[in-house]
Amino acid sequence: MPFALRSLDAPDVRRSAYCLVAMRFLAYLGVQTSYFIGIMGTLAYQMGASTVALACSVGLLNLLQVLGNAAGGTLLDRVGPRRHFAALAGMLAAASLLTLTLASSAGGVLAGAAALGFAAGLGEPVLRSYPAYLTDDAAQLKRLNAVISSASQVAVIVGPLVGGVIASVAPSQAVFGFTLVCALTSLVPACGFKSRRAALPAAAGEKDGAARASASLWDGARVAFGSPTLTLLFWAGFFSFLGFGAFDPLESLFYRDVLDVGVEWMGWLSSAAGLGCLLGSLIAVRVPHRFVNMRSLLWVLALMGVGCIMYVSTPYVGVALAGQVTLGTAFGLMQPMQSTLVQTHAPLESLGRVNAVISAGLTSAGVLPLFAAPWLAEALGVQGVLVGASCLVAGFPVLCMVAARRRIARLVAEEKRRAEDRRG
């Protein structure tokens, strides 16, 4: 994907963009290697965890991810991207060491899940907010977001593959050693990343972050819900992602009991989703900026639901593979669109916290179904719950487009006017 960054408007911006892509790739590679196999695979396969135990572990991880999102967004707005990334790398390394030390027991794995969840949340601004520190041009932001998303999806492919290889020759907890290496290595490209834009005017005469020392997540919520576009982005994502909450505690059981495959297949099929995400991100690079709007985003969210239905509706690995690729492609398209819309509607000094609020909405939407998933699985079966949840993912964006069509049309027209004003 380096060719996609050549259009950035200055050599120093391009250099920092290349560093940013590497930073995101290495940090996210560590998370992807450890989460699915290191946490969920260890609990389901090595420790024989029940659906209730799996739901509790996912709930704990998601709760800490919400807290990490809040801390990461606020920290970014206060200290800027370079010091924020140093904190992220340190937290990811600490989570890896903690899990390597304690992962021989279920309690230790849960502690590792909590630490990994916090680190994952702390790192969300690297994907969602850092590009805006390099440029404020919407078309370039879209391209940069798509490239960074592509790097993330390569990590989604490579991480589970590496985890699968490690789990085939060693205990699944060993994947955290690889995560530790990724965290430390990510500091190398971080040394070359330099912000092009400042969150506050230099004329303010204040040191970096000093004026934002009293920043709070509440300010991010105020900005997010004060914008019609950001408000709709929040609620569309929240209700669409509500269905994904059933996947985390039941997905490993779906592999074990419905697909009837070993733990390594959790890695292989996750990599298939990553391949689809990469395809979606590559498509996003070529999508004209005029199509980056709320209507397009809702259609992509609906496509994610279609992929989910394909993924879980049969006991056949081949069909699940096709579903994962479809789901991944839609997700790869969705992420750059969403990030670009947020970055063009939120002020830079609040961007970290605005993204933290939106990310917290997506993550908390995944927590709510955890309380019902184990009991629904008893009544409907693991596959029945997953199919129902997939229908929710597919159905809400369509319902939103029907119920709020006039509002969406106004927002799309507003995006068009903004684009014309920028060109003018």
Side-chain angles (χ1 to χ4, degrees):
M1 294 294 291
F3 67 89
L5 298 178
R6 292 174 187 168
S7 64
L8 296 181
D9 57 6
D12 59 329
V13 174
R14 287 195 294 272
R15 285 193 295 270
S16 288
Y18 289 131
C19 291
L20 175 54
V21 170
M23 291 155 61
R24 169 63 179 179
F25 172 75
L26 290 167
Y28 200 53
L29 178 63
V31 172
Q32 286 297 311
T33 302
S34 291
Y35 167 66
F36 208 33
I37 292 179
I39 299 294
M40 304 309 295
T42 298
L43 289 171
Y45 281 83
Q46 292 194 24
M47 299 181 177
S50 65
T51 55
V52 174
L54 289 169
C56 289
S57 65
V58 173
L60 178 65
L61 189 148
N62 285 351
L63 173 62
L64 268 295
Q65 189 170 344
V66 171
L67 296 177
N69 269 324
T74 302
L75 181 65
L76 174 64
D77 288 343
R78 289 180 178 178
V79 305
R82 296 191 70 175
R83 282 185 280 177
H84 169 269
F85 192 83
L88 164 63
M91 184 63 214
L92 191 56
S96 303
L97 288 171
L98 175 68
T99 312
L100 283 170
T101 304
L102 302 177
S104 58
S105 67
V109 175
L110 289 177
L116 184 68
F118 188 85
L122 196 68
E124 277 298 294
V126 180
L127 173 70
R128 299 183 183 277
S129 300
Y130 278 33
Y133 282 84
L134 298 181
T135 180
D136 60 353
D137 180 86
Q140 293 192 16
L141 274 175
K142 188 271 298 182
R143 182 172 289 265
L144 182 53
N145 282 315
V147 174
I148 297 172
S149 181
S150 297
S152 302
Q153 308 322 329
V154 172
V156 173
I157 298 169
V158 176
L161 287 175
V162 171
V165 170
I166 294 173
S168 67
V169 298
S172 55
Q173 299 96 318
V175 299
F176 283 94
F178 182 79
T179 301
L180 175 61
V181 173
C182 289
L184 298 177
T185 306
S186 69
L187 291 170
V188 176
C191 294
F193 178 85
K194 295 181 180 179
S195 300
R196 176 83 179 276
R197 300 177 64 212
L200 290 176
E206 297 182 285
K207 295 181 180 179
D208 180 29
R212 303 189 296 277
S214 61
S216 69
L217 194 62
W218 173 251
D219 297 320
R222 177 179 51 80
V223 173
F225 292 109
S227 163
T229 297
L230 295 177
T231 300
L232 187 55
L233 273 171
F234 178 91
W235 290 116
F238 179 87
F239 285 107
S240 296
F241 274 63
L242 199 62
F244 284 115
F247 277 74
D248 283 336
L250 301 181
E251 199 168 8
S252 55
L253 301 180
F254 173 72
Y255 279 77
R256 188 187 68 187
D257 300 337
V258 179
L259 295 182
D260 194 24
V261 294
V263 64
E264 66 278 4
W265 276 93
M266 297 177 71
W268 311 147
L269 288 186
S270 292
S271 293
L275 182 62
C277 287
L278 177 59
L279 176 61
S281 298
L282 292 172
I283 294 171
V285 172
R286 299 296 185 184
V287 170
H289 178 67
R290 66 180 181 274
F291 293 118
V292 180
N293 56 51
M294 276 304 309
R295 184 181 292 119
S296 299
L297 185 67
L298 288 169
W299 277 115
V300 171
L301 286 171
L303 180 60
M304 287 174 61
V306 172
C308 287
I309 294 171
M310 292 174 60
Y311 172 36
V312 299
S313 60
T314 78
Y316 305 115
V317 172
V319 178
L321 178 68
Q324 283 283 60
V325 172
T326 302
L327 169 59
T329 301
F331 189 86
L333 273 167
M334 182 275 293
Q335 196 282 316
M337 285 186 177
Q338 183 193 61
S339 292
T340 301
L341 287 170
V342 175
Q343 290 161 12
T344 53
H345 285 83
L348 186 61
E349 62 269 17
S350 303
L351 182 58
R353 285 162 292 155
V354 169
N355 269 315
V357 169
I358 293 175
S359 296
L362 300 182
T363 304
S364 60
V367 173
L368 297 177
L370 294 176
F371 300 105
W375 290 272
L376 287 174
E378 289 289 329
L380 304 175
V382 168
Q383 190 173 28
V385 175
L386 293 178
V387 171
S390 300
C391 291
L392 178 62
V393 176
F396 178 78
V398 176
L399 178 63
C400 187
M401 282 187 282
V402 172
R405 61 187 182 277
R406 292 181 180 176
R407 182 178 182 184
I408 293 169
R410 287 196 299 269
L411 294 177
V412 171
E414 178 188 340
E415 284 294 327
K416 184 177 179 180
R417 286 194 299 271
R418 288 167 64 97
E420 290 173 349
D421 291 342
R422 284 189 293 263
R423 287 196 298 268

mmCIF file of all heavy atoms in Angstrom, residues 179-225:
data_model
loop_
_atom_site.group_PDB
_atom_site.id
_atom_site.type_symbol
_atom_site.label_atom_id
_atom_site.label_comp_id
_atom_site.label_asym_id
_atom_site.label_seq_id
_atom_site.Cartn_x
_atom_site.Cartn_y
_atom_site.Cartn_z
ATOM 1 N N THR A 179 3.400 -11.182 21.501
ATOM 2 C CA THR A 179 2.798 -9.865 21.731
ATOM 3 C C THR A 179 3.776 -8.920 22.408
ATOM 4 O O THR A 179 3.842 -7.728 22.076
ATOM 5 C CB THR A 179 1.521 -10.011 22.583
ATOM 6 O OG1 THR A 179 0.602 -10.859 21.908
ATOM 7 C CG2 THR A 179 0.868 -8.666 22.848
ATOM 8 N N LEU A 180 4.546 -9.429 23.332
ATOM 9 C CA LEU A 180 5.562 -8.609 24.005
ATOM 10 C C LEU A 180 6.588 -8.083 22.999
ATOM 11 O O LEU A 180 6.951 -6.896 23.029
ATOM 12 C CB LEU A 180 6.258 -9.445 25.084
ATOM 13 C CG LEU A 180 7.425 -8.775 25.812
ATOM 14 C CD1 LEU A 180 6.972 -7.525 26.555
ATOM 15 C CD2 LEU A 180 8.082 -9.770 26.787
ATOM 16 N N VAL A 181 7.037 -8.943 22.105
ATOM 17 C CA VAL A 181 7.994 -8.516 21.083
ATOM 18 C C VAL A 181 7.391 -7.430 20.194
ATOM 19 O O VAL A 181 8.044 -6.434 19.860
ATOM 20 C CB VAL A 181 8.447 -9.731 20.240
ATOM 21 C CG1 VAL A 181 9.306 -9.273 19.058
ATOM 22 C CG2 VAL A 181 9.224 -10.717 21.100
ATOM 23 N N CYS A 182 6.136 -7.601 19.810
ATOM 24 C CA CYS A 182 5.464 -6.600 18.972
ATOM 25 C C CYS A 182 5.396 -5.250 19.671
ATOM 26 O O CYS A 182 5.628 -4.196 19.054
ATOM 27 C CB CYS A 182 4.059 -7.069 18.620
ATOM 28 S SG CYS A 182 3.995 -8.443 17.457
ATOM 29 N N ALA A 183 5.063 -5.257 20.971
ATOM 30 C CA ALA A 183 4.945 -4.003 21.711
ATOM 31 C C ALA A 183 6.261 -3.247 21.740
ATOM 32 O O ALA A 183 6.310 -2.027 21.520
ATOM 33 C CB ALA A 183 4.469 -4.294 23.135
ATOM 34 N N LEU A 184 7.344 -3.948 21.997
ATOM 35 C CA LEU A 184 8.641 -3.286 22.079
ATOM 36 C C LEU A 184 9.113 -2.813 20.700
ATOM 37 O O LEU A 184 9.671 -1.725 20.558
ATOM 38 C CB LEU A 184 9.662 -4.239 22.694
ATOM 39 C CG LEU A 184 9.360 -4.682 24.141
ATOM 40 C CD1 LEU A 184 10.398 -5.672 24.629
ATOM 41 C CD2 LEU A 184 9.289 -3.472 25.069
ATOM 42 N N THR A 185 8.862 -3.622 19.672
ATOM 43 C CA THR A 185 9.300 -3.257 18.324
ATOM 44 C C THR A 185 8.559 -2.039 17.799
ATOM 45 O O THR A 185 9.106 -1.244 17.023
ATOM 46 C CB THR A 185 9.097 -4.446 17.369
ATOM 47 O OG1 THR A 185 9.741 -5.599 17.906
ATOM 48 C CG2 THR A 185 9.683 -4.153 16.000
ATOM 49 N N SER A 186 7.308 -1.850 18.217
ATOM 50 C CA SER A 186 6.510 -0.720 17.715
ATOM 51 C C SER A 186 7.093 0.626 18.109
ATOM 52 O O SER A 186 6.776 1.652 17.488
ATOM 53 C CB SER A 186 5.072 -0.828 18.231
ATOM 54 O OG SER A 186 5.021 -0.605 19.637
ATOM 55 N N LEU A 187 7.957 0.653 19.122
ATOM 56 C CA LEU A 187 8.561 1.914 19.545
ATOM 57 C C LEU A 187 9.574 2.440 18.525
ATOM 58 O O LEU A 187 9.892 3.630 18.529
ATOM 59 C CB LEU A 187 9.240 1.730 20.905
ATOM 60 C CG LEU A 187 8.287 1.504 22.084
ATOM 61 C CD1 LEU A 187 9.068 1.106 23.320
ATOM 62 C CD2 LEU A 187 7.438 2.741 22.350
ATOM 63 N N VAL A 188 10.087 1.560 17.672
ATOM 64 C CA VAL A 188 11.074 1.991 16.677
ATOM 65 C C VAL A 188 10.450 2.954 15.662
ATOM 66 O O VAL A 188 10.936 4.089 15.499
ATOM 67 C CB VAL A 188 11.721 0.772 15.987
ATOM 68 C CG1 VAL A 188 12.683 1.231 14.888
ATOM 69 C CG2 VAL A 188 12.448 -0.097 17.012
ATOM 70 N N PRO A 189 9.376 2.582 14.951
ATOM 71 C CA PRO A 189 8.777 3.563 14.030
ATOM 72 C C PRO A 189 8.161 4.750 14.752
ATOM 73 O O PRO A 189 8.039 5.838 14.165
ATOM 74 C CB PRO A 189 7.718 2.753 13.271
ATOM 75 C CG PRO A 189 7.402 1.600 14.158
ATOM 76 C CD PRO A 189 8.688 1.269 14.857
ATOM 77 N N ALA A 190 7.776 4.575 16.023
ATOM 78 C CA ALA A 190 7.181 5.693 16.759
ATOM 79 C C ALA A 190 8.159 6.858 16.893
ATOM 80 O O ALA A 190 7.743 8.018 16.977
ATOM 81 C CB ALA A 190 6.725 5.224 18.140
ATOM 82 N N CYS A 191 9.447 6.560 16.875
ATOM 83 C CA CYS A 191 10.446 7.632 16.970
ATOM 84 C C CYS A 191 10.407 8.553 15.750
ATOM 85 O O CYS A 191 10.837 9.713 15.818
ATOM 86 C CB CYS A 191 11.846 7.035 17.119
ATOM 87 S SG CYS A 191 12.092 6.137 18.672
ATOM 88 N N GLY A 192 9.915 8.050 14.615
ATOM 89 C CA GLY A 192 9.879 8.851 13.399
ATOM 90 C C GLY A 192 8.570 9.568 13.141
ATOM 91 O O GLY A 192 8.444 10.288 12.144
ATOM 92 N N PHE A 193 7.585 9.371 14.019
ATOM 93 C CA PHE A 193 6.277 10.012 13.814
ATOM 94 C C PHE A 193 6.286 11.415 14.401
ATOM 95 O O PHE A 193 6.582 11.611 15.580
ATOM 96 C CB PHE A 193 5.177 9.180 14.475
ATOM 97 C CG PHE A 193 3.808 9.797 14.350
ATOM 98 C CD1 PHE A 193 3.046 9.582 13.213
ATOM 99 C CD2 PHE A 193 3.291 10.581 15.364
ATOM 100 C CE1 PHE A 193 1.789 10.159 13.088
ATOM 101 C CE2 PHE A 193 2.034 11.159 15.247
ATOM 102 C CZ PHE A 193 1.282 10.941 14.106
ATOM 103 N N LYS A 194 5.940 12.410 13.590
ATOM 104 C CA LYS A 194 5.877 13.789 14.050
ATOM 105 C C LYS A 194 4.563 14.415 13.599
ATOM 106 O O LYS A 194 4.189 14.322 12.431
ATOM 107 C CB LYS A 194 7.051 14.595 13.492
ATOM 108 C CG LYS A 194 8.410 14.124 13.999
ATOM 109 C CD LYS A 194 9.542 14.971 13.438
ATOM 110 C CE LYS A 194 10.886 14.482 13.953
ATOM 111 N NZ LYS A 194 12.023 15.276 13.410
ATOM 112 N N SER A 195 3.881 15.087 14.524
ATOM 113 C CA SER A 195 2.606 15.724 14.199
ATOM 114 C C SER A 195 2.830 16.908 13.266
ATOM 115 O O SER A 195 3.786 17.678 13.431
ATOM 116 C CB SER A 195 1.910 16.209 15.466
ATOM 117 O OG SER A 195 1.663 15.135 16.345
ATOM 118 N N ARG A 196 1.940 17.048 12.303
ATOM 119 C CA ARG A 196 1.964 18.207 11.403
ATOM 120 C C ARG A 196 1.016 19.291 11.899
ATOM 121 O O ARG A 196 1.238 20.473 11.645
ATOM 122 C CB ARG A 196 1.543 17.747 10.004
ATOM 123 C CG ARG A 196 1.444 18.882 8.987
ATOM 124 C CD ARG A 196 2.787 19.223 8.392
ATOM 125 N NE ARG A 196 2.667 20.291 7.397
ATOM 126 C CZ ARG A 196 2.334 20.094 6.126
ATOM 127 N NH1 ARG A 196 2.082 18.857 5.688
ATOM 128 N NH2 ARG A 196 2.258 21.110 5.298
ATOM 129 N N ARG A 197 -0.021 18.910 12.592
ATOM 130 C CA ARG A 197 -1.021 19.857 13.081
ATOM 131 C C ARG A 197 -0.990 19.890 14.600
ATOM 132 O O ARG A 197 -0.754 18.875 15.257
ATOM 133 C CB ARG A 197 -2.423 19.452 12.625
ATOM 134 C CG ARG A 197 -2.604 19.394 11.118
ATOM 135 C CD ARG A 197 -4.001 18.902 10.787
ATOM 136 N NE ARG A 197 -5.032 19.838 11.254
ATOM 137 C CZ ARG A 197 -6.238 19.468 11.669
ATOM 138 N NH1 ARG A 197 -6.566 18.184 11.694
ATOM 139 N NH2 ARG A 197 -7.113 20.363 12.047
ATOM 140 N N ALA A 198 -1.226 21.050 15.157
ATOM 141 C CA ALA A 198 -1.315 21.207 16.605
ATOM 142 C C ALA A 198 -2.778 21.351 16.987
ATOM 143 O O ALA A 198 -3.562 21.990 16.287
ATOM 144 C CB ALA A 198 -0.534 22.437 17.067
ATOM 145 N N ALA A 199 -3.141 20.769 18.117
ATOM 146 C CA ALA A 199 -4.536 20.823 18.540
ATOM 147 C C ALA A 199 -4.951 22.222 18.966
ATOM 148 O O ALA A 199 -6.101 22.589 18.891
ATOM 149 C CB ALA A 199 -4.777 19.839 19.687
ATOM 150 N N LEU A 200 -3.994 23.020 19.433
ATOM 151 C CA LEU A 200 -4.285 24.397 19.822
ATOM 152 C C LEU A 200 -3.364 25.329 19.054
ATOM 153 O O LEU A 200 -2.226 24.968 18.748
ATOM 154 C CB LEU A 200 -4.054 24.598 21.329
ATOM 155 C CG LEU A 200 -5.065 23.913 22.247
ATOM 156 C CD1 LEU A 200 -4.644 24.122 23.686
ATOM 157 C CD2 LEU A 200 -6.458 24.473 22.030
ATOM 158 N N PRO A 201 -3.802 26.550 18.732
ATOM 159 C CA PRO A 201 -2.943 27.490 18.024
ATOM 160 C C PRO A 201 -1.673 27.786 18.805
ATOM 161 O O PRO A 201 -1.693 27.906 20.033
ATOM 162 C CB PRO A 201 -3.816 28.753 17.896
ATOM 163 C CG PRO A 201 -5.220 28.270 18.071
ATOM 164 C CD PRO A 201 -5.139 27.098 18.992
ATOM 165 N N ALA A 202 -0.569 27.895 18.075
ATOM 166 C CA ALA A 202 0.702 28.191 18.736
ATOM 167 C C ALA A 202 0.650 29.520 19.470
ATOM 168 O O ALA A 202 1.320 29.732 20.467
ATOM 169 C CB ALA A 202 1.827 28.214 17.709
ATOM 170 N N ALA A 203 -0.207 30.433 18.966
ATOM 171 C CA ALA A 203 -0.308 31.752 19.589
ATOM 172 C C ALA A 203 -0.879 31.711 20.979
ATOM 173 O O ALA A 203 -0.797 32.667 21.729
ATOM 174 C CB ALA A 203 -1.177 32.669 18.716
ATOM 175 N N ALA A 204 -1.470 30.603 21.345
ATOM 176 C CA ALA A 204 -2.025 30.496 22.687
ATOM 177 C C ALA A 204 -0.940 30.565 23.733
ATOM 178 O O ALA A 204 -1.198 30.839 24.900
ATOM 179 C CB ALA A 204 -2.819 29.197 22.828
ATOM 180 N N GLY A 205 0.328 30.279 23.343
ATOM 181 C CA GLY A 205 1.445 30.430 24.253
ATOM 182 C C GLY A 205 1.485 29.419 25.351
ATOM 183 O O GLY A 205 2.037 29.688 26.420
ATOM 184 N N GLU A 206 0.947 28.269 25.131
ATOM 185 C CA GLU A 206 0.914 27.259 26.171
ATOM 186 C C GLU A 206 1.671 26.033 25.719
ATOM 187 O O GLU A 206 1.750 25.725 24.545
ATOM 188 C CB GLU A 206 -0.519 26.891 26.515
ATOM 189 C CG GLU A 206 -1.280 28.072 27.066
ATOM 190 C CD GLU A 206 -2.687 27.675 27.443
ATOM 191 O OE1 GLU A 206 -3.500 27.498 26.529
ATOM 192 O OE2 GLU A 206 -2.952 27.541 28.641
ATOM 193 N N LYS A 207 2.230 25.311 26.646
ATOM 194 C CA LYS A 207 2.963 24.100 26.348
ATOM 195 C C LYS A 207 2.008 23.036 25.845
ATOM 196 O O LYS A 207 0.821 23.065 26.124
ATOM 197 C CB LYS A 207 3.697 23.602 27.597
ATOM 198 C CG LYS A 207 4.791 24.563 28.069
ATOM 199 C CD LYS A 207 5.482 23.995 29.291
ATOM 200 C CE LYS A 207 6.584 24.943 29.775
ATOM 201 N NZ LYS A 207 7.260 24.414 30.974
ATOM 202 N N ASP A 208 2.582 22.078 25.105
ATOM 203 C CA ASP A 208 1.768 21.001 24.526
ATOM 204 C C ASP A 208 0.965 20.305 25.598
ATOM 205 O O ASP A 208 1.529 19.755 26.554
ATOM 206 C CB ASP A 208 2.696 20.001 23.830
ATOM 207 C CG ASP A 208 1.920 18.879 23.215
ATOM 208 O OD1 ASP A 208 0.763 19.086 22.829
ATOM 209 O OD2 ASP A 208 2.477 17.772 23.138
ATOM 210 N N GLY A 209 -0.355 20.374 25.455
ATOM 211 C CA GLY A 209 -1.228 19.663 26.380
ATOM 212 C C GLY A 209 -1.616 20.448 27.612
ATOM 213 O O GLY A 209 -2.525 20.040 28.332
ATOM 214 N N ALA A 210 -0.937 21.572 27.910
ATOM 215 C CA ALA A 210 -1.236 22.271 29.153
ATOM 216 C C ALA A 210 -2.655 22.795 29.177
ATOM 217 O O ALA A 210 -3.341 22.735 30.200
ATOM 218 C CB ALA A 210 -0.255 23.433 29.344
ATOM 219 N N ALA A 211 -3.112 23.344 28.037
ATOM 220 C CA ALA A 211 -4.460 23.904 28.001
ATOM 221 C C ALA A 211 -5.520 22.836 28.093
ATOM 222 O O ALA A 211 -6.674 23.129 28.357
ATOM 223 C CB ALA A 211 -4.653 24.713 26.717
ATOM 224 N N ARG A 212 -5.116 21.563 27.879
ATOM 225 C CA ARG A 212 -6.094 20.479 27.894
ATOM 226 C C ARG A 212 -5.984 19.643 29.167
ATOM 227 O O ARG A 212 -6.491 18.535 29.231
ATOM 228 C CB ARG A 212 -5.903 19.600 26.660
ATOM 229 C CG ARG A 212 -6.016 20.360 25.362
ATOM 230 C CD ARG A 212 -6.029 19.431 24.168
ATOM 231 N NE ARG A 212 -4.797 18.687 24.021
ATOM 232 C CZ ARG A 212 -3.708 19.166 23.433
ATOM 233 N NH1 ARG A 212 -3.698 20.400 22.959
ATOM 234 N NH2 ARG A 212 -2.626 18.423 23.311
ATOM 235 N N ALA A 213 -5.269 20.156 30.161
ATOM 236 C CA ALA A 213 -5.014 19.359 31.358
ATOM 237 C C ALA A 213 -6.299 19.007 32.091
ATOM 238 O O ALA A 213 -6.361 18.010 32.809
ATOM 239 C CB ALA A 213 -4.071 20.109 32.299
ATOM 240 N N SER A 214 -7.323 19.843 31.954
ATOM 241 C CA SER A 214 -8.576 19.552 32.647
ATOM 242 C C SER A 214 -9.586 18.868 31.733
ATOM 243 O O SER A 214 -10.776 18.801 32.040
ATOM 244 C CB SER A 214 -9.177 20.851 33.196
ATOM 245 O OG SER A 214 -9.453 21.735 32.128
ATOM 246 N N ALA A 215 -9.098 18.368 30.591
ATOM 247 C CA ALA A 215 -10.013 17.735 29.635
ATOM 248 C C ALA A 215 -10.670 16.522 30.257
ATOM 249 O O ALA A 215 -10.086 15.804 31.052
ATOM 250 C CB ALA A 215 -9.240 17.331 28.384
ATOM 251 N N SER A 216 -11.903 16.264 29.881
ATOM 252 C CA SER A 216 -12.621 15.110 30.407
ATOM 253 C C SER A 216 -13.380 14.440 29.284
ATOM 254 O O SER A 216 -13.626 15.029 28.236
ATOM 255 C CB SER A 216 -13.601 15.543 31.510
ATOM 256 O OG SER A 216 -14.657 16.296 30.960
ATOM 257 N N LEU A 217 -13.741 13.189 29.535
ATOM 258 C CA LEU A 217 -14.516 12.462 28.549
ATOM 259 C C LEU A 217 -15.876 13.110 28.332
ATOM 260 O O LEU A 217 -16.461 13.001 27.248
ATOM 261 C CB LEU A 217 -14.677 11.008 28.996
ATOM 262 C CG LEU A 217 -15.162 10.018 27.947
ATOM 263 C CD1 LEU A 217 -14.167 9.938 26.798
ATOM 264 C CD2 LEU A 217 -15.382 8.646 28.569
ATOM 265 N N TRP A 218 -16.375 13.797 29.348
ATOM 266 C CA TRP A 218 -17.660 14.476 29.213
ATOM 267 C C TRP A 218 -17.621 15.509 28.089
ATOM 268 O O TRP A 218 -18.589 15.704 27.365
ATOM 269 C CB TRP A 218 -18.036 15.150 30.526
ATOM 270 C CG TRP A 218 -19.257 16.009 30.399
ATOM 271 C CD1 TRP A 218 -19.321 17.361 30.426
ATOM 272 C CD2 TRP A 218 -20.610 15.565 30.190
ATOM 273 N NE1 TRP A 218 -20.614 17.810 30.256
ATOM 274 C CE2 TRP A 218 -21.422 16.716 30.119
ATOM 275 C CE3 TRP A 218 -21.192 14.310 30.068
ATOM 276 C CZ2 TRP A 218 -22.795 16.650 29.919
ATOM 277 C CZ3 TRP A 218 -22.563 14.244 29.872
ATOM 278 C CH2 TRP A 218 -23.347 15.385 29.797
ATOM 279 N N ASP A 219 -16.474 16.182 27.933
ATOM 280 C CA ASP A 219 -16.344 17.148 26.841
ATOM 281 C C ASP A 219 -16.473 16.459 25.488
ATOM 282 O O ASP A 219 -17.055 17.012 24.553
ATOM 283 C CB ASP A 219 -14.991 17.867 26.930
ATOM 284 C CG ASP A 219 -14.858 18.680 28.202
ATOM 285 O OD1 ASP A 219 -15.851 19.316 28.590
ATOM 286 O OD2 ASP A 219 -13.776 18.663 28.805
ATOM 287 N N GLY A 220 -15.900 15.240 25.381
ATOM 288 C CA GLY A 220 -16.038 14.484 24.138
ATOM 289 C C GLY A 220 -17.483 14.130 23.850
ATOM 290 O O GLY A 220 -17.938 14.200 22.706
ATOM 291 N N ALA A 221 -18.224 13.746 24.902
ATOM 292 C CA ALA A 221 -19.634 13.426 24.719
ATOM 293 C C ALA A 221 -20.422 14.659 24.302
ATOM 294 O O ALA A 221 -21.318 14.588 23.449
ATOM 295 C CB ALA A 221 -20.208 12.843 26.013
ATOM 296 N N ARG A 222 -20.092 15.803 24.885
ATOM 297 C CA ARG A 222 -20.791 17.042 24.531
ATOM 298 C C ARG A 222 -20.580 17.381 23.059
ATOM 299 O O ARG A 222 -21.528 17.757 22.360
ATOM 300 C CB ARG A 222 -20.279 18.184 25.417
ATOM 301 C CG ARG A 222 -20.878 19.538 25.092
ATOM 302 C CD ARG A 222 -20.327 20.619 26.036
ATOM 303 N NE ARG A 222 -18.874 20.591 26.083
ATOM 304 C CZ ARG A 222 -18.096 21.134 25.151
ATOM 305 N NH1 ARG A 222 -18.640 21.724 24.100
ATOM 306 N NH2 ARG A 222 -16.786 21.084 25.271
ATOM 307 N N VAL A 223 -19.353 17.232 22.585
ATOM 308 C CA VAL A 223 -19.070 17.515 21.169
ATOM 309 C C VAL A 223 -19.765 16.489 20.278
ATOM 310 O O VAL A 223 -20.382 16.838 19.264
ATOM 311 C CB VAL A 223 -17.547 17.513 20.914
ATOM 312 C CG1 VAL A 223 -17.256 17.646 19.414
ATOM 313 C CG2 VAL A 223 -16.879 18.652 21.673
ATOM 314 N N ALA A 224 -19.674 15.208 20.650
ATOM 315 C CA ALA A 224 -20.249 14.150 19.813
ATOM 316 C C ALA A 224 -21.752 14.316 19.665
ATOM 317 O O ALA A 224 -22.293 14.229 18.552
ATOM 318 C CB ALA A 224 -19.920 12.779 20.403
ATOM 319 N N PHE A 225 -22.447 14.557 20.765
ATOM 320 C CA PHE A 225 -23.904 14.646 20.703
ATOM 321 C C PHE A 225 -24.396 16.039 20.338
ATOM 322 O O PHE A 225 -25.597 16.266 20.238
ATOM 323 C CB PHE A 225 -24.508 14.167 22.018
ATOM 324 C CG PHE A 225 -24.312 12.698 22.257
ATOM 325 C CD1 PHE A 225 -23.430 12.251 23.235
ATOM 326 C CD2 PHE A 225 -24.958 11.752 21.474
ATOM 327 C CE1 PHE A 225 -23.223 10.894 23.437
ATOM 328 C CE2 PHE A 225 -24.756 10.396 21.668
ATOM 329 C CZ PHE A 225 -23.882 9.967 22.647
#
